[in-house]
Amino acid sequence: MKFEVTILGSSSATPVYNRNPTAQLLNCNEKFYLIDCGEGTQQQLIRFGFKANKIDFIFISHLHGDHYFGLIGLLSSLHLNGRVKPMMIFAPAALAEILTLQFKHSETVIRYPIEFVVIEADKSVQIFENADLTVETIILNHRIPCTGFAFVQKKRLRKLMVEKLEAEQVPLEYYPLLKRGVDLDLPDGKVLLNIDYTTDSERPKKYCYCSDTLFDEGYFETIKGCDTLYHEATFLHEMLDRANQTHHTTALQAAQIAKDTGAAKLLIGHFSSRYKTLQPLLEEARSVFENTELAIEGNTYSI
Amino acid sequence: MKFEVTILGSSSATPVYNRNPTAQLLNCNEKFYLIDCGEGTQQQLIRFGFKANKIDFIFISHLHGDHYFGLIGLLSSLHLNGRVKPMMIFAPAALAEILTLQFKHSETVIRYPIEFVVIEADKSVQIFENADLTVETIILNHRIPCTGFAFVQKKRLRKLMVEKLEAEQVPLEYYPLLKRGVDLDLPDGKVLLNIDYTTDSERPKKYCYCSDTLFDEGYFETIKGCDTLYHEATFLHEMLDRANQTHHTTALQAAQIAKDTGAAKLLIGHFSSRYKTLQPLLEEARSVFENTELAIEGNTYSI
């Protein structure tokens, strides 16, 4: 099952050096989840060959503009391009107020249903669940209420050894129970031990998205054991005072967090406009946590 | 004196084929006027090598998103980049309400003064004047209140024939009056006829910006005699019904308007996403008005 994230924007605060404000596209089993939506996200989707209309779920971490100014444009374009299927938006309550005001003054009545789910940034809770995954909020520590998101795949059913089952002419109606791990005592006395006819499915994976935040152990429990941890790394550690003052993280701290929470891989992004080249941020993080990568726009990272 | 316009966005409604929503940058005597500000305008400014902080005046024609969704991002970036000088914004009243709400929820207190001038779309009036030009509204006919803008250069002072004046040792204190076209009777009985010592300055030029609008003779008087007329040409004339229904103009109509109002040059833009190539729109317009050009992003047009 596909579980991967494409970076659409990696810049903090303002667009610069051809880097755009934050946005990421998560693909889980060909369902598309947009995480944050900085200005120009719809242009980035076009640029990298994605159809915006495939997105059914949008998660907005907080109401600093570099994380949501592109949302109204994306929603408007979907409307103009004839979308009819619903869109779920998970965001702070005030975003609904902003969108409503903008639609009102353009006299736009959006043709497709928008289901708006209000996020509270007080305690970590599950906000979404479908057949593929659950989404839990991560309570970050920023200048305004801000949540990250933990996307956790569900355990899949066991895989059938189909050739063996067919060879032994096991009836099809037994397959669903076998997938669920059940041993079967058949009426003819035969016993089908599950272990002989199935293999375990892939281990469910966990992707955590943390932007923007001060280094704060308060959210470590929620992000424990990520397969991929995306963490903001706005500054080099030499700018720690500035990071603390603006409630951001340094590359060194992001790496320390990945290490402390047992992540398998770290992806850093939300780069300050002061860094024209990003190699120093990568090297700093790798000095603490080797398996670090830069969030490069247009790149897709398997989780 | 420089008087030229750079196209930052030429697409109608949605970004497509690497075309961005509407925005233009007018340079008059090295003062910068932004006309409309679709999503991604700040990225386009970076892309084409302009410093956003040079802009001191912003004119928003109406509150359809493809004409203003980039404004909040631009204003925020100027704030984050340390702007202190004032910004004047000419726009419909509701835009102030939208910006205020967005700043409130990001807890942003903009560091530089924003002087917001409300535009009423009921009758054509002068809304701005400085040493270089005046700006008058053009009352367009769109689905929501919408104004274009007529930028008219002021008549410049006469040019001195400095070499001749120096050769005849005419005192410097006479120069300002000569520039103003005055003949001088000197105390020694000598007469300086203005025509012998000055030449006429360049003819003041007029740039009109018309987007979005139905073909409507109501605004022809205001745009009469443009040196360059920018006019939306969303559709080919074969789509006239659609143009009428959405209150837009065809390329043929835009050309007819240029012809009827005595424009010297026509620039067409605001192209529908249905047109991947723009040559058919250009050819249609040129069949009626030869001196037509396409508004191509990144191109600068002398007015």
Side-chain angles (χ1 to χ4, degrees), chain A residues 13-15 20 39-40 42-43 46 63-64 68-70 72-73 76-77 80 94 97-98 101-102 105-107 144, chain B residues 13-15 20 39-40 42-43 46 63-64 68-70 72-73 76-77 80 94 97-98 101-102 105-107 144:
Chain A
T14 65
N20 277 266
E39 180 179 358
Q42 58 173 331
Q43 283 100 325
I46 295 170
L63 294 187
H64 281 153
Y68 87 91
F69 283 164
I72 180 72
S76 299
S77 292
L80 290 165
E97 189 189 347
I98 293 167
L101 187 66
Q102 291 186 295
H105 289 300
S106 63
E107 296 182 11
I144 60 174
Chain B
T14 66
N20 276 267
E39 181 179 358
Q42 58 172 333
Q43 282 100 324
I46 295 170
L63 294 188
H64 281 153
Y68 89 91
F69 282 165
I72 180 72
S76 298
S77 292
L80 291 165
E97 188 188 349
I98 293 167
L101 187 66
Q102 291 185 295
H105 290 301
S106 62
E107 296 182 11
I144 61 173

Side-chain angles (χ1 to χ4, degrees), chain B residues 38-162:
Chain B
E39 181 179 358
T41 295
Q42 58 172 333
Q43 282 100 324
Q44 292 288 81
L45 287 166
I46 295 170
R47 182 174 166 204
F48 299 128
F50 291 100
K51 292 202 185 313
N53 199 39
K54 285 194 170 178
I55 298 166
D56 291 328
F57 314 98
I58 299 175
F59 296 82
I60 302 294
S61 64
H62 67 302
L63 294 188
H64 281 153
D66 55 327
H67 293 258
Y68 89 91
F69 282 165
L71 182 61
I72 180 72
L74 178 69
L75 297 177
S76 298
S77 292
L78 290 171
H79 161 77
L80 291 165
N81 291 330
R83 182 183 178 105
V84 289
K85 63 177 176 167
M87 177 71 86
M88 285 188 83
I89 301 177
F90 302 81
L95 184 56
E97 188 188 349
I98 293 167
L99 297 175
T100 301
L101 187 66
Q102 291 185 295
F103 287 137
K104 174 185 151 195
H105 290 301
S106 62
E107 296 182 11
T108 303
V109 180
I110 289 288
R111 285 189 200 97
Y112 58 92
I114 292 179
E115 185 176 340
F116 197 95
V117 180
V118 170
I119 295 178
E120 303 287 354
D122 50 359
K123 68 171 199 287
S124 174
V125 290
Q126 182 178 306
I127 52 172
F128 181 69
E129 176 174 19
N130 65 8
D132 299 316
L133 51 67
T134 60
V135 184
E136 196 177 329
T137 53
I138 304 164
I139 305 308
L140 301 175
N141 183 341
H142 198 42
R143 304 195 302 277
I144 61 173
C146 182
T147 56
F149 304 102
F151 296 84
V152 185
Q153 282 186 307
K154 286 193 173 166
K155 178 78 181 160
R156 308 279 285 178
L157 299 175
R158 295 180 67 79
K159 286 182 188 164
L160 298 176
M161 299 175 186
V162 176

